[in-house]
Amino acid sequence: MEFLRPATWDEALAAKAEYPTALPIAGGTDVMVEMNFDVHRPSAILDLTRVTELTGWSHDGDVVRLGASVPYSRIIDELSGPLPGLALAAHTVGSPQIRNRGSVGGNLGAASPAGDSHPALLAAGRDVLVEAASVRGTRLIAIDDFYTGVKRNSLEPDELIRAVRIPAADGPQQFSKIGTRNAMVIAVCAFGFALHPKNGTVGTGIGSAAPTPRRAVEAEEYLQGVLAERGLWESGGLLGAEVVQRFGELVRGAASPIDDVRGTAAYRRHALAVMARRTLTWTWNDYGKQIRSAA
């Protein structure tokens, strides 16, 4: 097995071009588990830990550009304001040691449907973009186009994830996850939700309940219609129990889970409906408070 250790981003791209089957590693929280259990034996390892460009982030007011190797612990400490949903998801990742090593870039590269960051990224909006780079140049992949199958993504063999561009929150966001225990656990299912009052939309993200992370599109469209029709974006008034219940039903219907060792498909659907109702209620209560305090 080849071990490649570039010191710069350009060197990393050159190495990936020369060894397209090389497996990138930064935090290693997914890669090393698979290697230790002999699930994956790549021909080469591409160690990105010395590439400092991947460990920074910037915020221009509308968009956060998050380097691929920024660890979850820093997202929690430094980005809970502009990226509250992602910060909440980061809180649920593994142990403190894992949160100090793991990153959103690694989650995207692994593309596991159970990855904790995926529901929050989807809920953050359709303008979330993954920067994929190679010696040929850089392209931007919409988050909805990134996941192509179970643990598969739309990266070309010579591409590396450089950063993720995420719209800064303009409304409340939430994340909810259910596991077989209270910490250090792979999600049985997860749900991300966000309100986007500037453009009158809502965002959803379903995790660990389909072959890939996905949106609950019908649920989004239903809720957006109710909020616009009833003038609730302006008033922050009560949604009503029937709206919350219907939203949960539509989220449940958007999932296509399986039975496995962590839970049954029926339980996952039920849990998603509950999480959808709860996250909608929490975020809408927060939004109503914002509207009333601004009046």
Side-chain angles (χ1 to χ4, degrees), residues 237-268:
L238 297 176
L239 290 174
E242 76 285 355
V243 173
V244 176
Q245 182 70 25
R246 181 58 179 158
F247 180 74
E249 292 171 355
L250 291 170
V251 169
R252 178 176 59 200
S256 56
I258 61 172
D259 297 328
D260 64 15
V261 295
R262 295 196 304 277
T264 65
Y267 177 73
R268 285 182 162 98

Side-chain angles (χ1 to χ4, degrees), residues 35-242:
M35 290 182 63
N36 287 339
F37 283 94
D38 209 24
V39 174
H40 195 180
R41 284 291 168 185
S43 60
I45 292 289
L46 179 58
D47 180 8
L48 300 175
T49 55
R50 293 201 297 169
V51 183
T52 57
E53 181 179 342
L54 300 178
T55 63
W57 62 267
S58 60
H59 182 197
D60 68 4
D62 295 322
V63 174
V64 175
R65 184 180 180 275
L66 182 69
S69 296
V70 176
Y72 291 113
S73 58
R74 286 184 55 201
I75 294 173
I76 295 168
D77 293 340
E78 302 170 19
L79 291 167
S80 60
L83 302 179
L86 187 59
L88 287 170
H91 270 286
T92 74
V93 174
S95 63
Q97 296 92 330
I98 297 296
R99 291 192 291 274
N100 279 328
R101 297 291 298 173
S103 67
V104 171
N107 234 193
L108 288 167
S112 167
D116 292 316
S117 70
H118 305 313
L121 291 175
L122 288 166
R126 297 181 185 274
D127 292 333
V128 174
L129 301 171
V130 179
E131 288 187 27
S134 70
V135 293
R136 297 175 287 111
T138 299
R139 66 186 178 114
L140 300 177
I141 307 171
I143 193 66
D144 291 86
D145 300 327
F146 186 78
Y147 311 107
T148 60
V150 178
K151 296 188 176 182
R152 298 199 307 272
N153 58 48
S154 56
L155 292 175
E156 297 294 338
D158 64 341
E159 287 183 322
L160 294 170
I161 298 171
R162 186 176 189 177
V164 188
R165 302 182 187 183
I166 310 167
D170 62 309
Q173 301 182 358
Q174 272 291 341
F175 176 83
S176 187
K177 169 181 171 180
I178 288 179
T180 54
R181 60 189 183 194
N182 202 34
M184 295 178 64
V185 66
I186 298 173
V188 172
C189 56
F191 185 70
F193 181 72
L195 296 172
H196 304 295
K198 282 186 179 179
N199 59 13
T201 64
V202 302
T204 61
I206 293 173
S208 204
T212 67
R214 62 169 59 167
R215 297 181 186 280
V217 176
E218 287 189 36
E220 292 179 357
E221 293 174 347
Y222 165 74
L223 186 57
Q224 287 164 190
V226 169
L227 297 178
E229 180 181 334
R230 300 184 184 180
L232 292 173
W233 285 117
E234 293 76 23
S235 70
L238 297 176
L239 290 174
E242 76 285 355

